[in-house]
């Protein structure tokens, strides 16, 4: 018996047209720099294979992931574009990196040696991207180590330096002086390598915020993540994101209704009594699906019938309750929009983030695997 679990009354819709639009929009701004689409973390919860294909259709020329497994998923789906794994991986994954034709990031000579021995076993020359820590202090060789690392890679018969790159810590605050400091450290490293005859065909530094805000950071390619999903990298670049369209909606249906008398409260803890008799709609998704529990306290609003309605109490693991007040027009089966648009009203992942003290990235990454994605 085949079972179709996609009929659950809670689902996410991913608008691949919005992804294509956002990629093409940013590509036109950053040209002639290439766009490599960042599809780590299942494309920030949007579906890595589907988003990768849409991004490539829209003009992206490469892809970026965080870990080897994510690259393998893309290759097994038949995607042939370059796939950069953006930090150095455990040495014992080198055969998979090389075997699947993924592009390794190298930040240590030991890491480069692991890639080289896997490459030698296949007889192939593997292009690598060497990453330098210019001030974020997360991943990368120290600037003073870069020459010897790049020389090792350039001098090894099984490796080549396809790119040198770095990553910004505060690109979402374009006026922050650390951006210029990181760029000048980066340029000094590039100059030093160049003076020793190492001129990588590719140089890159920019995430979404830097790609949009800082032409000097674009170099040969930009690594486009959050803006491709139509979400804000941060408040400091809100104006530059005006042309983007959010790709993910989170929807559900009203599964049950009841009238609750004035003074009664709803959900675990019975925390907030309703002021007047109210119609309470139960909606069958909760924190196990990625609705932050905190959203019940704030409270956040969901859309039913094009009207924003507050969450009535604590978000539970599998369900939330929504206060429809005196509105008796709400019925079981009605569409509920948690993230997205209904009529003229919208709620964004960025709104959830603002209400719960986080960023849109964490909201969409947090929409769990239990939520079925529908791509359109
Ligand atoms: C996640 C990531 C990106 C993408 O950042 P956005 O802000 O989502 O555009 C780019 N580069 C690196 C190294 C990353 O880890």
């Amino acid at each position: 018996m085949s079972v179709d679990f996609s009929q659950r009354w809670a689902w996410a819709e991913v608008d691949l047209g919005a992804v294509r639009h956002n990629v093409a929009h940013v590509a036109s701004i950053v040209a002639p720099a290439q766009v490599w689409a960042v599809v780590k973390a299942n494309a920030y919860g949007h579906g890595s294979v589907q988003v990768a294909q849409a991004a490539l259709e829209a003009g992206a020329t490469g892809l970026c992931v965080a870990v080897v497994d994510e690259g393998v998923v893309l290759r097994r789906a038949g995607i042939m574009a370059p796939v950069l794994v953006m930090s150095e991986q455990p040495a014992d994954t080198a055969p998979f990196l090389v075997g699947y034709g993924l592009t390794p990031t190298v930040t240590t000579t030991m890491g480069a040696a692991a890639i080289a021995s896997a490459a030698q076993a296949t007889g192939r020359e593997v292009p690598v991207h060497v990453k330098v820590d210019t001030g974020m202090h997360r991943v990368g060789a120290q600037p003073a180590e870069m020459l010897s690392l790049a020389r090792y890679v350039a001098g090894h018969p099984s490796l080549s330096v396809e790119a040198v790159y770095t990553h910004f810590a505060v690109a979402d605050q374009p006026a922050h002086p650390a951006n210029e400091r990181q760029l000048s450290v980066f340029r000094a490293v590039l100059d030093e390598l160049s003076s020793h005859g190492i001129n990588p065909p590719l140089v890159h530094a920019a995430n979404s915020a830097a790609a949009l805000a800082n032409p000097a950071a674009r170099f040969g390619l930009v690594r486009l993540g959050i803006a491709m999903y139509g979400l804000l990298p941060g408040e400091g670049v809100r104006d530059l994101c005006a042309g983007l369209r959010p790709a993910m909606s989170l929807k559900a249906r009203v599964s049950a209704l009841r009238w609750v008398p004035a003074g009664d409260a709803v959900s675990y803890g019975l925390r907030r009594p309703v002021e007047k008799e109210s119609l309470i709609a139960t909606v069958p998704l909760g924190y196990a699906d990625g609705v932050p529990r905190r959203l019940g306290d704030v409270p956040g609003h969901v859309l039913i019938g094009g009207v924003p309605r507050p969450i009535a109490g604590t978000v539970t693991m599998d369900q939330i309750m929504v206060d429809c007040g005196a509105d008796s027009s709400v019925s079981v089966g009605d569409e509920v929009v948690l993230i997205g648009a209904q009529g003229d009203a919208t709620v964004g992942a960025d709104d959830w983030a603002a209400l719960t003290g986080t960023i849109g990235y964490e909201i969409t990454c947090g929409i769990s695997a239990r939520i079925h994605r529908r791509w359109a």
Side-chain angles (χ1 to χ4, degrees):
M1 188 169 68
S2 91
V3 184
D4 181 0
F5 292 109
S6 68
Q7 298 311 307
R8 184 183 166 200
W9 273 10
W11 67 94
E13 293 175 6
V14 178
D15 178 356
L16 296 174
V19 170
R20 285 191 290 266
H21 165 85
N22 296 334
V23 169
H25 177 73
V26 176
S28 73
I29 291 172
V30 303
Q34 302 174 46
V35 171
W36 284 28
V38 181
V39 295
K40 62 189 176 185
N42 196 29
Y44 298 31
H46 295 65
S48 67
V49 170
Q50 291 80 1
V51 167
Q53 283 164 342
L56 293 167
E57 282 162 24
T61 49
L63 303 166
C64 303
V65 296
V67 297
V68 179
D69 322 35
E70 294 173 336
V72 171
V73 166
L74 299 172
R75 287 287 182 256
R76 286 188 175 157
I79 292 171
M80 307 295 288
V83 175
L84 172 65
V85 182
M86 294 187 292
S87 44
E88 198 172 88
Q89 300 294 298
D92 55 7
T93 66
F96 303 106
L97 269 162
V98 172
Y100 279 97
L102 307 174
T103 303
T105 288
V106 157
T107 54
T108 66
T109 307
M110 290 253 289
I115 300 296
S117 66
Q120 268 160 341
T122 66
R124 239 180 286 164
E125 186 191 86
V126 172
V128 308
H129 291 208
V130 184
K131 191 172 194 177
V132 55
D133 172 12
T134 54
M136 170 143 168
H137 304 322
R138 178 175 68 170
V139 165
Q142 293 311 299
E145 305 163 350
M146 274 297 282
L147 180 59
S148 72
L149 177 59
R151 274 179 151 167
Y152 176 88
V153 173
H156 199 292
S158 298
L159 302 175
S160 68
V161 183
E162 181 176 76
V164 169
Y165 79 107
T166 192
H167 189 54
F168 292 107
V170 288
D172 59 324
Q173 300 166 55
H176 196 297
N179 291 305
E180 199 42 55
R181 278 203 300 273
Q182 286 196 257
L183 267 178
S184 68
V185 171
F186 190 46
R187 285 197 205 94
V189 166
L190 294 170
D191 288 348
E192 186 189 21
L193 299 188
S194 182
S195 71
H196 289 81
I198 301 173
N199 295 293
L202 284 173
V203 170
H204 53 107
N207 56 5
S208 295
L212 291 168
N214 190 354
R218 289 173 191 154
F219 297 99
L221 71 88
V222 304
R223 304 185 303 269
L224 183 67
I226 197 73
M228 173 171 61
Y229 306 103
L231 299 177
L232 276 186
E235 278 304 326
V237 292
R238 177 179 284 280
D239 294 351
L240 298 169
C241 295
L244 302 173
R245 295 192 342 225
M248 186 191 284
S249 302
L250 181 64
K251 298 185 180 178
R253 294 192 184 283
V254 174
S255 58
L257 284 168
R258 73 210 66 233
W259 286 96
V260 168
D264 267 21
V266 171
S267 194
Y268 289 125
L270 298 176
R271 306 246 281 268
R272 289 201 311 275
V274 294
E275 279 167 21
K276 50 187 181 358
E277 189 190 26
S278 297
L279 185 61
I280 299 295
T282 300
V283 182
L285 80 177
Y287 61 77
D289 300 293
V291 180
R293 188 169 176 279
R294 174 103 185 83
L295 208 58
D297 305 336
V298 180
H301 288 66
V302 307
L303 308 175
I304 305 175
V307 179
R309 309 183 191 256
I311 298 175
T314 307
V315 170
T316 74
M317 188 183 293
D318 314 303
Q319 339 218 20
I320 61 172
M321 279 66 88
V322 174
D323 188 345
C324 303
D327 184 354
S328 59
S329 72
V330 176
S331 306
V332 167
D334 281 3
E335 183 192 76
V336 182
V337 171
L338 293 99
I339 294 174
Q342 196 183 51
D344 295 334
T346 61
V347 180
D350 287 327
D351 297 323
W352 280 24
L355 288 171
T356 59
T358 183
I359 52 177
Y361 300 68
E362 190 180 26
I363 298 294
T364 64
C365 286
I367 304 302
S368 74
R370 194 166 77 174
I371 291 289
H372 193 90
R373 270 74 172 167
R374 300 179 184 172
W375 293 275

